Amino acid sequence: MMTADTETFVPLMKRSKGFDELKKLVIDQGICSGCSTCAAFCERITLDENGQAQLAEGAECNMNIGAVQCSDEGTCYDVCPMVSFSKPELEKEFFGDVRKDQDLGYYRKIVAARSKKKDILDKAQDGGAVTSILAAALEAKLIDANVVTSRTDEWNTSADLATKHDDLIAGAGTKYVRAPATMKFGKSIRNARKIAMVGTGCQTLGATRAITSLLKDTIEKTKESDTPLDFTLIGLFCFENFPYGCIKEALEREFGVKIGDIAKTDITRGKFIITKHDGTTDQKPVKAFDECVPEACNICTNFTSEFADISVGSVGTDDGWSTVIARTEKGEKLLENAVKLGYLETKDEVNLEAVKKNRSIKQMKFDATSKKRKEEDKFVPEYD
Ligand SMILES: Cc1cc2nc3c(=O)[nH]c(=O)nc-3n(C[C@H](O)[C@H](O)[C@H](O)COP(=O)(O)OP(=O)(O)OC[C@H]3O[C@@H](n4cnc5c(N)ncnc54)[C@H](O)[C@@H]3O)c2cc1C
């Protein structure tokens, strides 16, 4: 029951923005990236068939049922990568310093890497660097589990917790379809302590926001315990990621195939390339799939997954190799561990100009999209 005291006290407290504000600014305005971070930490939020956040059936945001504050601006709002916040502040919090290179983000070391394990190379997208780093980390018990993005024969995706070498291999390879990796990451805290996640730029950025806010105290409190909570983020270079329904239809139409006939997909040098189960390949300009590119990807400059312990992509290295950016001390150690345990070979030849060029194309898209959105009086996130 409200007393006279609380009646005068409550209006003075700051009210969190919560899901209504997130919906108004991000979801209703078409820039939810489907990263799923909001759904990781609030049981009232679920995802629709395209991976977009929505309130669970019959659920109401805490803010609307009497809570004045949830977390600072509301859990969902505090972790969303598509609202405005300061990236320099986040860099100081996560890396302890700000970036020296605008295009590549904060980093300590960049190498080309290739797996030395046949079982990994057979299944991997490029040099198998991601799966090798994780497999070596699992062997050395530096991680207990990792969130991988798996797929069905029909290329629909799911986020799964891999705890064994074979699970990691089963999850290898790129899927150009969204999956709720960050949601799985957040919900896995109940099942594992040293948790890694592989994700695209928006997913790892969402996870970084959670690690530096909501999870910060819990990480600190468990530091001296026998089972400290520890998180590792492996980011993927990413230009765009597609909702399943749209890309399935477009692939089948453009290539004249059933999606289940496709064994591997690759987007490289402006081409969408498919390899079928019979070994034949076909390609189309990636522009042919523009109708499926979410607005969130056009308003994102985070090509190299700038907030992660390690970021990995294909641009910048020869075919069959991966470009690996170790951003944190932990990331450097994971890379060294994979080399030491014989999972990975590395060399210094990386074409950084190629990586920067891709980043600048994303910047140009961002500039054009944000200009248009501003003219239409739509929200554009600011990250200064
Ligand atoms: C949507 C998307 C777009 C990309 N665009 C580019 C690009 O434009 N330029 C570029 O250089 N690189 C891009 N990449 C990265 C590239 O395709 C490879 O994933 C990267 O080079 C790592 O290769 P690897 O052989 O080391 O990885 P692997 O050893 O094969 O491991 C790949 C890892 O990525 C995870 N994964 C696969 N699909 C997804 C997904 N949809 N979401 C989250 N995790 C996933 C897998 O579970 C696995 O853990 C993109 C990746 C994705 C997912």
Side-chain angles (χ1 to χ4, degrees), residues 208-226:
T208 304
R209 294 203 78 202
I211 288 168
T212 53
S213 60
L214 302 179
L215 300 170
K216 192 176 167 183
D217 282 353
T218 320
I219 296 169
E220 268 313 305
K221 276 185 199 143
T222 64
K223 247 185 188 153
E224 302 307 323
S225 76
D226 295 338

Side-chain angles (χ1 to χ4, degrees), residues 120 123-132 134 146-150 157 168 171-179 181 198-200 203 236-242 266-267 303 312-315 322 358:
I120 294 178
K123 190 81 199 302
Q125 188 71 16
D126 297 309
V130 172
T131 306
S132 298
L134 291 165
N146 172 67
V147 177
V148 291
T149 291
S150 314
T157 51
L168 289 175
T174 298
K175 296 95 194 169
Y176 295 98
V177 176
R178 290 167 168 176
V198 184
T200 55
Q203 293 171 329
L236 301 171
F237 294 9
C238 180
F239 226 86
E240 51 216 10
N241 201 2
F242 305 101
D266 205 358
I267 299 181
F303 173 63
V312 185
S314 61
V315 169
S322 304
N358 274 269

